[in-house]
Amino acid sequence: MFIGVATALAGLVGTSIREITDNADALDDKRASHAASGAVQAMLRQQRATLRDNAYWDEAVNHTAGPDAEAWTIETWGVSSLDYPLYDTAFVIDITGRNILAYRNGEAMAVPARRFLGAGLDTLIAAARRSAAAGTDVPVHFLRSSEGVAMVGAAVIQSAETSPAVPVATNPVLVLAKHMTADTLAELSADFNIIGLTLDDAPLPGLLHAVLRGVDGSPTAYFNWPRILPGTRSFIGVKDELRIAASVLCVFLLGIGLSGGWTIRSLKRSEAHARHRATHDSLTGLWNRAGLLENLEQDLLDGRIARTDVRLFLIDLDGFKAVNDAWGHAVGDDLIAAVADRLLAELPEETLVARLGGDEFAVVTSAPAGQPATEFEAAIQSALQRVFYIAERTVEIGGSVGISVSIAGDLGAGELMRRADIALYRAKDMGRGVSVSYEDAFDAEKRQEAMLEAELRAQLEGDGIGVAFQPLINAATGRICGVEALARWPRSGGAAILPDVFIALAERGGLIDTLGMQVLTKALAAARAWPGIGLSVNISPLQLKNPSFVAQVTSITGAAGFDPHLLTLEVTEGVLIAHPEQARRALDGLKSAGIKVSLDDFGCGYASIGALRQFGFDRMKVDRSLIQAVDRDENGGAVLQATIALANALRIPVTAEGIETEEQAMLLRLSGCDELQGYLYGRPVDAATLGGQFFPASAPRKVVRA
Ligand code: C2E
Ligand code: CA
Ligand code: CA
């Protein structure tokens, strides 16, 4: 707008200058033309006066009619034609046309007036006689003589005191001519301030002119002179300044335009940047969650119109955490970027790929309604399963995929996300590299799980979780040396739920801390009845993440009056890998309180001998699967023996669990296990039953059940 106004103002100033210039020029032209015509009129007037003075003269009447006519006219007019300023040629012509006098520049002429001045002379003389008769002023006009253009006037010679009584019709005529010589022009120029005056046959283009008319009124010749153009001259005088001003204005406007344009561009760019940042993931450049949702809404809208199916694939990398923990976050970031690149490279171009954070990705694809997506699903899995090379490392991961579909846009983005999320949860539960498509049944199961969780919560708040005890046997003596507390859910109605199931449920529902402390409290209370016997209690890896865990354990132990040296907490390796620092802090805290820690389920997960040493475990429990493998697998025995030998070499005592036969017990004893556990020695039973079985002396008198 500013540029528009400035340009309009500049235009206005420009046209004003133009107008002023033109007006000034036109005014001066008018003045000059006026001056020129005034000059001509003055000349004519003067000539008429001269003629009157000379022709209306009684003496002239007498002499021209007398015998000395020739001499007298020569003396009077002929001689003075030499230097008289008002005429240079003089004729006196009688009624018959005879030239009484024909003088030019003071000398007699060889040619008569009629030859010298042409046919125009006749007309002029006729006009002179008419004017004499009518008493009007004498005619003076411009004629072409053989010497050039001349102002010629004619008057009948008559008495100064004219009276109609005196006839003049036959009197001679005095003709005076003044040629428009260079001197005449110069004089005119000077007198009337007209510079560059020239005499020409025609008006010259681009110049001003004044007409010199003949007897019949037609042009005989023209005065031409150049225009002075004062406006243009003034304009030329200030033109450089104006040009500089215009240039400055142009530069100024250009500057404003450029800087305005630049500002707008940079604003637009930073807005685009901000938008990009808000909708994209900085590590991979993929869409982020906000960007995904935005696109998904649009795709679903399009799907409703075009009747297409929109599929959402939620991907969670398998074992990404392990990579991150083992090789650091830089490698983890590189891996995430590599996964993003591969998905972009291997999926069809129109596919939308997003990163939702951490190791979670999402892929959205649209297809004509009813078209299966099995190939697409396989493409995602194969893209993830092939090896990645990151910083000279070979990394294998793979991914779990949850899939949901909106048929012709029948679902909103939120619902589509929810369904894919449930399906992904399933897929992860089923192990690595699995894709699961959402089914309606999932919702029912999820509802059921929610109900079960509510029931568990109620149980914990009410009577609480129950505890069973399984004996631990000293391999050397064959006598009970400890018990393992195992959580039990005493459900009044409905089927029994296994600890594997409800422990996981408690972990997901945030109930594990409460559950764990209830088990510990109850186990400690029961174990007080069995003096000198060790107590093992299972701890979820999630409990170790609780910063007040150690304080809670020591306070409960203290309150129970239990010797902490007899207490062993069993942990699985999960937390050690996921959060080594937190785990170390918790384990060190427990140990300084005198509580022992054993590594549970050794041999079934990722737990390594390295972890055993690094975290200073007091004991290791070989997983039941390793013991069962002895009977099934021909290398089973060797693997089991080697595992125990390694622990022994590190001076870590080993417990074997899940012993069901004497053969197994024998093998494990010989392999170096100092503690044995399994149905062979006793199933998990309630405290009273265990007391009755192993401590009849101290047990309260109660009916002992098998
Ligand atoms: P776990 O710590 O490995 O416990 C041993 C499991 O092996 C128990 O199953 C026990 O009943 C079973 N078992 C012992 N001997 C034999 C045998 O000879 N043959 C067979 N087939 N099984 C045997 P349970 O009680 O079902 O517990 C399952 C898992 O639940 C436990 O595995 C433990 O990881 C978890 N758990 C139990 N109670 C608690 C608890 O209070 N807190 C936590 N965090 N986890 C618990
Ligand atoms: Ca255990
Ligand atoms: Ca176990």
Side-chain angles (χ1 to χ4, degrees):
M1 199 177 85
F2 180 78
I3 290 174
V5 169
T7 310
L9 284 177
L12 217 59
V13 169
T15 42
S16 299
I17 290 175
R18 173 89 300 184
E19 213 146 278
I20 290 169
T21 305
D22 290 351
N23 278 346
D25 289 351
L27 273 173
D28 190 73
D29 287 355
K30 220 165 164 184
R31 175 205 62 82
S33 298
H34 211 75
S37 69
V40 172
Q41 292 306 326
M43 267 194 330
L44 292 172
R45 246 193 332 271
Q46 217 176 7
Q47 183 80 331
R48 272 195 291 267
T50 308
L51 266 170
R52 277 195 311 268
D53 285 352
N54 286 276
Y56 299 177
W57 184 15
D58 292 355
E59 217 173 308
V61 176
N62 295 334
H63 283 291
T64 49
D68 65 335
E70 191 178 351
W72 189 85
T73 53
I74 288 171
E75 192 62 33
T76 307
W77 297 309
V79 176
S80 59
S81 69
L82 174 63
D83 51 8
Y84 198 73
L86 296 173
Y87 56 90
D88 52 40
T89 310
F91 297 105
V92 176
I93 304 164
D94 72 5
I95 187 72
T96 64
R98 186 180 65 89
N99 288 193
I100 299 170
L101 173 78
Y103 251 71
R104 177 166 161 69
N105 293 331
E107 285 177 20
M109 291 174 70
V111 293
R114 180 62 170 77
R115 180 101 58 83
F116 186 66
L117 290 169
L121 180 67
D122 299 342
T123 322
L124 186 71
I125 290 173
R129 290 195 182 283
R130 265 198 315 279
S131 80
T136 54
D137 208 350
V138 294
V140 179
H141 295 286
F142 288 95
L143 296 183
R144 215 167 259 286
S145 77
S146 37
E147 289 297 322
V149 175
M151 178 174 61
V152 188
V156 177
I157 296 172
Q158 56 190 293
S159 166
E161 307 297 325
T162 50
S163 108
V166 183
V168 294
T170 54
N171 286 9
V173 173
L174 173 64
V175 175
L176 295 177
K178 179 176 172 60
H179 282 82
M180 298 294 112
T181 59
D183 286 350
T184 317
L185 290 184
E187 227 170 276
L188 268 176
S189 280
D191 289 353
F192 290 90
N193 189 23
I194 301 170
I195 299 153
L197 195 66
T198 58
L199 183 70
D200 306 285
D201 294 344
L204 298 183
L207 300 187
L208 295 174
H209 66 266
V211 190
L212 307 184
R213 295 190 187 278
V215 187
D216 56 357
S218 64
T220 302
Y222 291 86
F223 281 151
N224 285 301
W225 69 97
R227 308 171 67 195
I228 293 179
L229 298 173
T232 305
R233 273 165 210 268
S234 319
F235 175 73
I236 289 169
V238 297
K239 202 168 73 187
D240 286 346
E241 284 82 347
L242 283 177
R243 194 174 288 160
I244 289 170
S247 309
V248 168
L249 184 67
C250 281
V251 169
F252 180 64
L253 290 183
L254 194 74
I256 286 183
L258 285 179
S259 84
W262 184 83
T263 308
I264 289 170
R265 262 236 313 278
S266 77
L267 275 177
K268 277 193 173 155
R269 208 180 303 136
S270 66
E271 188 205 331
H273 273 167
R275 258 198 71 71
H276 191 270
R277 261 199 307 278
T279 52
H280 285 77
D281 171 50
S282 57
L283 174 61
T284 58
L286 296 177
W287 295 98
N288 62 14
R289 185 177 289 273
L292 170 78
L293 285 175
E294 223 171 78
N295 280 286
L296 204 51
E297 299 279 12
Q298 188 56 51
D299 286 354
L300 290 171
L301 210 66
D302 295 347
R304 256 195 290 286
I305 294 159
R307 318 288 309 159
T308 48
D309 294 349
V310 176
R311 277 194 174 71
L312 170 64
F313 300 78
L314 284 188
I315 302 168
D316 191 294
L317 299 185
D318 297 326
F320 174 71
K321 230 171 179 49
V323 172
N324 231 357
D325 291 337
W327 290 325
H329 288 282
V331 174
D333 283 356
D334 287 353
L335 178 60
I336 291 289
V339 169
D341 288 348
R342 186 168 291 175
L343 287 174
L344 284 177
E346 302 203 355
L347 298 178
E349 209 171 318
E350 64 279 4
T351 311
L352 185 147
V353 183
R355 178 178 175 228
L356 305 183
D359 59 345
E360 259 191 71
F361 292 85
V363 169
V364 177
T365 175
S366 293
Q371 190 171 301
T374 38
E375 251 174 59
F376 198 88
E377 197 181 308
I380 292 180
Q381 282 294 359
S382 100
L384 297 174
Q385 266 156 22
R386 258 170 307 114
V387 164
F388 288 93
Y389 298 97
I390 312 280
E392 288 164 20
R393 289 194 176 87
T394 308
V395 183
E396 263 180 285
I397 41 160
S400 303
V401 182
I403 306 161
S404 62
V405 56
S406 160
I407 312 282
D410 65 345
L411 300 178
E415 176 62 9
L416 205 59
M417 287 287 280
R418 190 189 70 84
R419 292 188 172 189
D421 212 46
I422 293 175
L424 173 61
Y425 184 84
R426 293 263 166 169
K428 281 211 93 67
D429 234 28
M430 287 168 69
R432 304 174 145 236
V434 180
S435 297
V436 172
S437 287
Y438 171 84
E439 290 167 24
D440 286 337
F442 292 178
D443 267 343
E445 287 164 32
K446 199 155 183 204
R447 267 197 300 280
Q448 211 175 331
E449 187 184 308
M451 267 160 58
L452 202 63
E453 191 185 306
E455 195 186 328
L456 179 61
R457 197 182 297 270
Q459 179 71 40
L460 288 169
E461 284 166 5
D463 297 343
I465 212 75
V467 185
F469 296 91
Q470 189 178 24
L472 301 168
I473 305 300
N474 184 309
T477 64
R479 295 169 67 92
I480 185 165
C481 62
V483 288
E484 178 177 4
L486 293 160
R488 291 293 178 264
W489 185 355
R491 284 180 94 208
S492 38
I497 294 175
L498 294 176
D500 294 310
V501 175
F502 72 76
I503 296 289
L505 187 67
E507 285 176 341
R508 283 199 296 273
L511 302 169
I512 191 65
D513 285 339
T514 313
L515 187 147
M517 289 309 152
Q518 275 191 12
V519 170
L520 179 64
T521 310
K522 290 189 179 182
L524 287 169
R528 277 202 324 167
W530 311 313
I533 290 295
L535 172 66
S536 292
V537 178
N538 293 288
I539 295 299
S540 159
L542 287 185
Q543 286 178 266
L544 288 187
K545 288 171 70 181
N546 180 348
S548 53
F549 172 72
V550 175
Q552 287 176 7
V553 170
T554 50
S555 115
I556 290 173
T557 314
F562 194 86
D563 177 5
H565 293 97
L566 289 173
L567 180 61
T568 304
L569 297 186
E570 301 187 1
V571 293
T572 48
E573 82 295 342
V575 73
L576 310 180
I577 290 171
H579 302 280
E581 285 315 310
Q582 283 175 330
R584 170 173 298 282
R585 249 198 317 278
L587 296 190
D588 289 351
L590 291 172
K591 288 171 80 175
S592 59
I595 298 166
K596 294 191 181 64
V597 186
S598 76
L599 181 60
D600 207 352
D601 294 347
F602 191 91
C604 80
Y606 309 102
S608 61
I609 298 290
L612 262 182
R613 290 176 72 174
Q614 192 190 343
F615 290 94
F617 282 103
D618 301 295
R619 179 168 287 278
M620 175 185 111
K621 291 187 81 167
V622 190
D623 195 62
R624 188 156 56 91
S625 59
L626 245 63
I627 287 144
Q628 285 171 332
V630 174
D631 299 329
R632 281 203 310 266
D633 193 324
E634 58 180 303
N635 295 325
V639 171
L640 181 63
Q641 280 176 315
T643 305
I644 297 165
L646 261 169
N648 283 341
L650 294 168
R651 300 189 198 291
I652 294 172
V654 180
T655 303
E657 64 178 15
I659 299 171
E660 296 181 358
T661 65
E662 279 296 350
E663 290 76 35
Q664 290 170 342
M666 173 81 78
L667 173 68
L668 288 159
R669 240 195 322 268
L670 291 174
S671 302
C673 287
D674 68 337
E675 235 177 61
L676 307 172
Q677 177 185 10
Y679 292 173
L680 179 64
Y681 305 106
R683 290 178 178 253
V685 289
D686 61 51
T689 312
L690 185 111
Q693 277 175 1
F694 291 95
F695 308 101
S698 60
R701 298 278 129 216
K702 227 183 145 190
V703 186
V704 175
R705 279 175 288 153

